[in-house]
Amino acid sequence: MFEKADLENKATPARSAATLIVTRDGADGLEVLLLRRNPALKVMAGAWVFPGGKVDEADAGEDALARANSAAIRELHEETGLEVGSEPIIHFSRWLTPEVVKYRFDTYFFLAPQSGNTSVVVDGSEIVEYRWVKPDIAIAEQAAGTLKVPPPTLVSLTDVAEYESLADLVKAVKRRQPPYFFPRILEQGEDHVFLYPGDSGYEASDVSLSTVRHRTTMHQGVFSYRRDFPWPDHHQ
């Protein structure tokens, strides 16, 4: 699933990265754009993910969030040929890879409402396929073991799936505080459990503390995500 770091030495520094959740109103409801990574790649080989990549020195901005914003827009165009829509992209969440993982990223996720041109062209090298899909369908395919997605993608899909329309989704994301994820990966029998901030067991790194759950469980290569509380609003 992931390559572990050599914890006898210093943990690998996390590289700045950006991800763009491109969304549109489709004929049957809200859709997101997923890209399939080349199975020959070292990181997340063959996985279905959102457009994105590492922040480069050329990505301008006064702080890490602004530089990630620039990187997300650049990566979208490089990987799909798409430009962002008329609305600005919106900070959606932030993910920091655990120290036990060899390849680490500090990734800002953004939401990109798309109402214009949605003709996608992939490069056939890093990205080999694309699809527009309803989030609940992608979640069901992952649960069935037919769609390979990493936990941040599954969590984001679950988040987006709560909304019927692009307008409702945009309104909710603008209102809330962007959630922060710094997973703690634990073993529970043959399963792996990813605890996130807000879970009862997060601070103690204890899977058995489960009064309030905010976690992803990997069982036989398939992930399931659960969150027992709503995201807080900006004013809370």
Side-chain angles (χ1 to χ4, degrees):
M1 180 188 63
F2 50 82
E3 187 172 346
K4 291 185 178 181
D6 180 3
L7 293 181
E8 293 183 359
N9 299 312
K10 188 177 180 181
T12 306
R15 294 199 59 178
S16 297
T19 292
L20 206 53
I21 305 169
V22 184
T23 53
R24 71 179 186 184
D25 283 318
D28 297 320
L30 193 63
E31 297 178 334
V32 297
L33 176 64
L34 290 180
L35 308 178
R36 184 170 183 256
R37 291 173 58 81
N38 193 319
L41 295 174
K42 289 184 178 180
V43 180
M44 294 190 293
W48 287 87
V49 298
F50 304 115
K54 294 184 288 290
V55 176
D56 292 342
E57 292 183 3
D59 293 317
E62 67 278 6
D63 56 22
L65 179 62
R67 290 190 290 274
N69 187 305
S70 298
I73 295 171
R74 174 183 55 77
E75 286 282 349
L76 175 68
H77 183 69
E78 291 176 0
E79 293 184 345
T80 70
L82 292 175
E83 305 286 349
V84 296
S86 57
E87 295 185 59
I89 65 176
I90 308 160
H91 185 195
F92 187 85
S93 62
R94 182 181 178 187
W95 288 76
L96 180 59
T97 308
E99 293 181 349
V100 298
V101 180
K102 183 175 182 180
Y103 299 103
R104 301 186 64 230
F105 299 94
D106 183 358
T107 307
Y108 288 91
F109 278 58
F110 298 92
L111 180 69
Q114 192 76 18
S115 56
N117 174 39
T118 54
S119 299
V120 178
V121 179
V122 299
D123 60 18
S125 177
E126 179 181 357
I127 303 300
V128 293
E129 293 180 64
Y130 79 91
R131 64 185 294 200
W132 289 98
V133 61
K134 293 184 64 177
D136 56 346
I137 291 176
I139 293 166
E141 291 179 2
Q142 193 280 148
T146 59
L147 186 72
K148 180 181 178 181
V149 301
T153 303
L154 175 63
V155 172
S156 302
L157 285 168
T158 305
D159 206 348
V160 173
E162 294 181 13
Y163 303 95
E164 295 293 331
S165 70
L166 185 55
D168 290 342
L169 172 63
V170 168
K171 182 179 178 181
V173 173
K174 286 181 175 179
R175 185 177 62 239
R176 77 183 191 187
Q177 296 179 22
Y180 173 69
F181 296 83
F182 185 23
R184 295 184 176 177
I185 306 176
L186 305 169
E187 293 183 359
Q188 187 179 43
E190 296 182 354
D191 298 342
H192 283 86
V193 181
F194 301 68
L195 297 181
Y196 306 129
D199 190 284
S200 298
Y202 182 79
E203 295 299 332
S205 296
D206 188 343
V207 175
S208 69
L209 301 176
S210 57
T211 304
V212 178
R213 298 189 184 189
H214 189 208
R215 59 183 65 183
T216 294
T217 301
M218 186 186 75
H219 177 68
Q220 297 182 347
V222 174
F223 298 106
S224 59
Y225 170 62
R226 175 170 171 175
R227 170 169 52 89
D228 290 343
F229 54 86
W231 298 126
D233 288 347
H234 275 293
H235 64 273
Q236 291 180 331

